[in-house]
Amino acid sequence: MPFHKINGKMVEAPVQPGQRMFSQRGAMLGYRGEVSFTPNLTGGQGGVMSMIGRRVANEDTPLMTVEGRGTVLFGHGGHHVHVVDLVGDTLCVEADRLLAFDGTLQQSTLFMGSQGGVMGIVRGQVTGQGLFTTRLSGHGSVAVMAHGGVFELPITPGQPVHVDPQAYVAHRGEVTNRLSSALGWRDMIGRGSGEAFQLELSGQGTVYVQASEEKL
Amino acid sequence: MSYPPQPTLPWSTAGQGPVTYDAYSLPVNDNVNPYAFSVELNGSYFLQKGKMVAYYGDISFQGVGHGALDRLLGQQFNSPLHASDWVVAQGRGKMVLADRAFDLNSYDLDQGNLTVRSGNLLAFEPTLALKQSIIPGFLTLLGTGKFVAASNGPVHFMEPPVRVDPQALVGWADCPAPCHHYDHHYMQGVLGGLRRLTGLGGASGEEHQFEFVGAGQVLLQSSEALMPERSVGQVDAEPGVPGGGLPQQGYQGGHQGGGQQLPNLQVPGLGNLGDLGRRFGL
């Protein structure tokens, strides 16, 4: 069921019997109809093994299952919300940025350390991503939270996009990301530009960027 | 070095610089931008302390309850213990209101009633009467006129029947008072009992909602970040009065930004003055 964005900080999602939806705990603002909210022990889809995987990967944001019949409004902490409609492609996003997503989407944890070796570890530190990220794929809607408004930058082959690691929110499609550094002697003596690290995204897809360098 | 043609980036082409306003071009009783509201003042206006950011003209600000204003107070300001949080702006000119970059909106009431969370109400015309709602932490406006309220994110209107998260509720108009709705569905059964006993699995955070029924409008703010709650004072202890004689509880419980301004009834050395001490800034 597609999410409907009401304003910059609120989304509306229809719930129908037989269809599950996952949302961050405590993110419900209001609802119509008969809807139940159940805390999700495993933090998403799959069984206990998936849960352990998420715990180990530190991608285990407390989620709740939303079931029933009606419409639910979601919003959290005054953060801006961006809706991504997936049509068979994948979205990589940090689990704590997930506001709500359709139960029809496949949720998995992705190891990012294989991309880039040592720089991958540094990238995880700088972006706040860590070494793991959550991957959603299939058909359905995802509501992603960001500090400040979100805009999309298209990535086409041969034309990589550079993004400030702190402003990076999520990416979609077949994209590899690499941390490019422009460290110089100025950074060593504390007179750097403050833009020593950049995230270089290449491939085919879209990157979502927030208009703020503040983390959630 | 030649670069390949860049893909079109979704930059807005309609970039606008800051707009400069003067005393004449400031909007009349309208929003300057989503976060600032301009009031054309000709007479008096009630506003919460510290919400005025700028003004043009000849305006004086006085605490509610000062001398000549007492009559006005008696007629329009029916929440005496709340008075210390409000000032009266008097004079002619234009006044800009803002509150920590929260979204501001003005609402017109026409022989209506609207109940709003006390921390979210910024200012109102003296043609409206302000009263304390029997729901603790809320204020009710009655009559005809305009008022300005703040919300974290734009306000969304919903028509009952609807259940809303307590922290997302800004206020409601015309509907009968809300009631509590508890959803402990998942606490039932064997697994639920185990969950309750062990605390495993935690809570969904949505066990408790306010339920609205009947005709009217419910105002929702799009986030759960609460504005600091303004104390609405203490109701006299009387049989049958909800919350009477008790310090206001408001909606506490670990909400971010919930720095509530509760009257401290246990101020040492103040004897039984209670809330009076707070009124006089002691």
Side-chain angles (χ1 to χ4, degrees), chain A residues 6-10 12 23-41 62-65 71 73-81 151-156 158-161, chain B residues 4-11 103 152-169 181 183 185-186 195 200-209 220-225 256:
Chain A
I6 287 175
N7 56 43
K9 296 180 176 179
M10 214 190 253
E12 187 182 59
S23 96
Q24 191 157 105
R25 278 188 209 167
M28 184 274 290
L29 298 173
Y31 68 91
R32 271 180 223 283
E34 285 303 322
V35 184
S36 68
F37 301 88
T38 312
N40 194 301
L41 198 63
L63 290 179
M64 58 183 182
T65 315
T71 50
L73 290 168
F74 291 111
H76 192 63
H79 294 302
H80 285 255
V81 178
F151 55 96
E152 303 177 5
L153 293 178
I155 307 167
T156 48
Q159 288 171 338
V161 175
Chain B
Q6 292 295 310
T8 48
L9 297 177
W11 307 129
D103 289 59
N152 190 335
V155 163
H156 181 58
F157 290 86
M158 288 194 94
E159 271 178 30
V162 65
R163 293 180 187 144
V164 306
D165 192 281
Q167 294 119 63
L169 179 68
H181 173 84
D183 184 6
H185 199 62
Y186 64 87
R195 189 200 287 277
L200 274 179
S204 67
E206 312 291 5
E207 297 84 27
H208 179 203
Q209 291 108 30
L220 277 178
Q221 69 185 5
S222 22
S223 95
E224 304 199 340
Q256 62 272 52

Side-chain angles (χ1 to χ4, degrees), chain A:
Chain A
M1 281 288 117
F3 293 174
H4 168 60
K5 199 166 160 178
I6 287 175
N7 56 43
K9 296 180 176 179
M10 214 190 253
V11 287
E12 187 182 59
V15 195
Q16 272 162 12
Q19 284 187 327
R20 283 194 305 176
M21 203 157 41
F22 294 100
S23 96
Q24 191 157 105
R25 278 188 209 167
M28 184 274 290
L29 298 173
Y31 68 91
R32 271 180 223 283
E34 285 303 322
V35 184
S36 68
F37 301 88
T38 312
N40 194 301
L41 198 63
T42 56
Q45 288 169 342
V48 179
M49 286 315 283
S50 312
M51 171 182 88
I52 293 169
R54 275 189 282 270
R55 290 278 160 96
V56 170
N58 202 14
E59 289 284 327
D60 58 328
T61 296
L63 290 179
M64 58 183 182
T65 315
V66 184
E67 285 163 309
R69 182 195 297 275
T71 50
V72 188
L73 290 168
F74 291 111
H76 192 63
H79 294 302
H80 285 255
V81 178
H82 194 71
V83 175
V84 181
D85 290 307
L86 291 180
V87 279
D89 46 348
T90 62
L91 181 82
C92 287
V93 64
E94 272 306 286
D96 52 6
R97 286 193 183 270
L98 280 173
L99 179 67
F101 60 96
D102 270 330
T104 54
L105 291 169
Q106 293 294 316
Q107 183 191 13
S108 56
T109 307
L110 189 70
F111 181 60
M112 303 282 286
S114 56
Q115 295 181 7
V118 178
M119 277 314 259
I121 296 168
V122 179
R123 173 193 57 214
Q125 290 295 319
V126 178
T127 56
Q129 271 186 316
L131 281 177
F132 295 90
T133 193
T134 295
R135 186 170 70 172
L136 295 167
S137 56
H139 291 261
S141 282
V142 189
V144 176
M145 287 189 288
H147 191 268
V150 177
F151 55 96
E152 303 177 5
L153 293 178
I155 307 167
T156 48
Q159 288 171 338
V161 175
H162 293 264
V163 175
D164 188 300
Q166 285 140 17
Y168 164 84
V169 174
H171 70 260
R172 172 183 186 172
E174 292 302 315
V175 173
T176 49
N177 57 7
R178 193 173 71 82
L179 193 73
S180 59
S181 64
L183 280 171
W185 61 272
R186 284 177 179 274
D187 294 284
M188 300 303 161
I189 58 166
R191 291 285 185 275
S193 61
E195 305 289 354
F197 290 105
Q198 281 134 22
L199 208 57
E200 183 188 304
L201 296 115
S202 52
Q204 175 81 47
T206 311
V207 57
Y208 299 91
V209 187
Q210 66 180 15
S212 164
E213 300 196 346
E214 199 164 305
K215 285 171 194 163
L216 282 190

Side-chain angles (χ1 to χ4, degrees), chain B residues 2-282:
Chain B
S2 69
Y3 290 98
Q6 292 295 310
T8 48
L9 297 177
W11 307 129
S12 160
T13 50
Q16 285 174 347
V19 184
T20 311
Y21 290 102
D22 61 23
Y24 300 99
S25 63
L26 264 180
V28 175
N29 292 329
D30 201 359
N31 277 72
V32 182
N33 62 35
Y35 317 109
F37 188 89
S38 163
V39 173
E40 186 171 46
L41 189 67
N42 190 3
S44 57
Y45 218 87
F46 284 104
L47 60 143
Q48 222 180 68
K49 264 186 190 167
K51 306 302 182 202
M52 186 276 297
V53 290
Y55 69 89
Y56 275 113
D58 180 22
I59 301 177
S60 67
F61 298 89
Q62 279 171 314
V64 165
H66 278 264
L69 290 170
D70 262 352
R71 213 160 54 88
L72 185 69
L73 172 72
Q75 285 164 358
Q76 307 303 338
F77 204 91
N78 220 291
S79 181
L81 286 171
H82 191 214
S84 58
D85 290 327
W86 291 82
V87 286
V88 185
Q90 271 196 313
R92 296 171 66 88
K94 277 183 178 166
M95 177 168 68
V96 180
L97 307 172
D99 184 14
R100 287 164 291 161
F102 280 91
D103 289 59
L104 301 190
N105 265 307
S106 71
Y107 305 84
D108 287 298
L109 276 185
D110 184 18
Q111 287 300 324
N113 74 78
L114 191 139
T115 306
V116 64
R117 193 179 283 278
S118 58
N120 288 51
L121 182 64
L122 241 70
F124 61 96
E125 281 182 347
T127 51
L128 286 168
L130 181 77
K131 302 194 187 213
Q132 220 169 304
S133 169
I134 63 166
I135 315 284
F138 285 83
L139 296 168
T140 302
L141 289 155
L142 300 170
T144 305
K146 200 186 256 293
F147 68 93
V148 184
S151 59
N152 190 335
V155 163
H156 181 58
F157 290 86
M158 288 194 94
E159 271 178 30
V162 65
R163 293 180 187 144
V164 306
D165 192 281
Q167 294 119 63
L169 179 68
V170 174
W172 62 93
D174 298 331
C175 356
C179 44
H180 295 287
H181 173 84
Y182 290 95
D183 184 6
H184 281 136
H185 199 62
Y186 64 87
M187 288 282 198
Q188 286 159 6
V190 178
L191 272 177
L194 206 65
R195 189 200 287 277
R196 187 163 43 184
L197 274 175
T198 59
L200 274 179
S204 67
E206 312 291 5
E207 297 84 27
H208 179 203
Q209 291 108 30
F210 289 160
E211 179 160 357
F212 288 87
V213 287
Q217 293 277 332
V218 181
L219 284 72
L220 277 178
Q221 69 185 5
S222 22
S223 95
E224 304 199 340
L226 275 187
M227 319 258 305
E229 204 136 290
R230 291 279 173 178
S231 160
V232 284
Q234 187 190 349
V235 189
D236 290 335
E238 254 181 89
V241 175
L246 291 167
Q248 281 294 332
Q249 288 306 307
Y251 297 98
Q252 288 175 326
H255 304 322
Q256 62 272 52
Q260 301 194 2
Q261 303 191 348
L262 293 179
N264 187 358
L265 301 177
Q266 276 84 44
V267 181
L270 276 178
N272 286 327
L273 282 176
D275 199 39
L276 277 178
R278 195 175 138 271
R279 276 189 74 178
F280 296 112
L282 296 175

